[in-house]
């Protein structure tokens, strides 16, 4: 029969658990482990906590052992393996500010041009496909632009050009070679 585990939290520890649970950016695993400790501190048993949080009893027991060995700081997720991201949060915020300002000015960007800007201004090398994915994650949308100058045309100059072309137009058939 497994040993009955108990967690007794001090007032300061309870307050710190509540504060950590209120954090907006909290990994799901860390949130689950904090909830385990919070509920265990209220006197619930391992099976009750596992049932409430819809997880395995082994997870709850492991969380209690982590807490008793290292306190609340031991409940955080371990660092993920792999290469760190080449485009940092600050780079993405600078890119968002650039795109917002460009939108106000009516300037459009291609993904390749944004990659060039990142390389020149921030020293970050990234492929256009990956940058497109990051922008999509940040909530940016784009569409193909139209190649037209119609919005820049002056109606007065257009009318004068039409009149000039009308004067140059030859009517009827003419022989081009003798």
């Amino acid at each position: 029969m497994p040993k009955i585990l108990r967690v007794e939290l001090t007032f300061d520890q309870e307050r710190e658990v509540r504060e950590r649970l209120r954090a907006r950016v909290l990994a799901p695993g860390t949130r689950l482990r904090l909830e385990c400790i919070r509920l265990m501190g209220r006197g619930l048993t391992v099976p009750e906590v596992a049932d409430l949080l819809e997880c395995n009893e082994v997870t709850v027991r492991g969380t209690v052992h982590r807490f008793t060995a290292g306190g609340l700081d031991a409940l955080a997720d371990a660092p993920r393996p792999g290469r760190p991201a080449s485009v940092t949060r600050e780079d993405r915020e600078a890119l968002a500010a650039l795109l917002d300002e460009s939108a106000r000015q009516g300037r459009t960007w291609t993904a390749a041009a944004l990659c060039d800007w990142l390389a020149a201004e921030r020293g970050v090398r990234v492929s256009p496909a990956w940058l497109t994915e990051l922008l999509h994650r940040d909530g940016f949308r784009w569409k193909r632009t139209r190649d037209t100058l119609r919005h820049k045309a002056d109606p007065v100059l257009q009318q004068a050009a039409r009149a000039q072309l009308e004067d140059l137009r030859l009517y009827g058939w003419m022989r081009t070679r003798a």
Side-chain angles (χ1 to χ4, degrees):
M1 179 141 197
K3 179 181 170 186
I4 296 177
L5 295 177
R6 302 259 182 240
V7 173
E8 294 183 16
L9 297 175
T10 64
F11 179 75
D12 291 335
Q13 286 176 326
E14 285 180 20
R15 185 176 44 79
E16 188 174 351
V17 166
R18 283 193 307 272
E19 286 176 9
R20 289 185 184 201
L21 283 170
R22 277 194 297 266
R24 286 184 149 205
V25 181
L26 189 62
T30 305
R31 183 175 300 281
L32 176 72
R33 288 186 286 276
L34 284 168
E35 284 289 347
C36 286
I37 296 302
R38 185 181 69 82
L39 292 173
M40 291 290 295
R42 293 222 165 167
L44 273 68
T45 63
V46 171
E48 291 171 338
V49 171
D51 186 46
L52 278 173
L53 297 178
E54 297 178 352
C55 64
N56 198 314
E57 291 181 23
V58 175
T59 304
V60 178
R61 290 182 182 283
T63 300
V64 171
H65 292 303
R66 281 173 78 165
F67 174 72
T68 55
L72 290 174
D73 292 331
L75 299 179
D77 284 344
R80 299 285 178 207
R83 182 174 57 107
S86 59
V87 181
T88 63
R89 171 54 55 195
E90 292 80 23
D91 295 331
R92 290 167 76 171
E93 289 171 358
L95 194 59
L98 172 74
L99 290 173
D100 290 340
E101 181 60 30
S102 296
R104 281 191 283 281
Q105 296 174 356
R107 180 171 182 201
T108 59
W109 289 86
T110 64
L114 287 173
C115 289
D116 293 341
W117 181 85
L118 274 175
E121 297 292 323
R122 310 282 295 183
V124 176
R125 296 244 176 247
V126 64
S127 73
W130 180 241
L131 184 61
T132 301
E133 173 67 27
L134 292 176
L135 289 172
H136 183 70
R137 288 180 187 178
D138 288 343
F140 284 95
R141 301 291 181 259
W142 54 90
K143 62 182 180 180
R144 188 178 303 267
T145 57
R146 289 186 175 181
D147 292 331
T148 180
L149 298 175
R150 196 172 289 179
H151 64 283
K152 294 186 177 186
D154 184 7
V156 175
L157 292 176
Q158 282 183 342
Q159 189 62 31
R162 278 194 198 102
Q164 187 178 12
L165 284 174
E166 195 63 35
D167 290 342
L168 293 174
R169 180 174 285 159
L170 297 174
Y171 292 99
W173 293 93
M174 292 188 65
R175 179 175 241 150
T176 55
R177 292 188 193 176

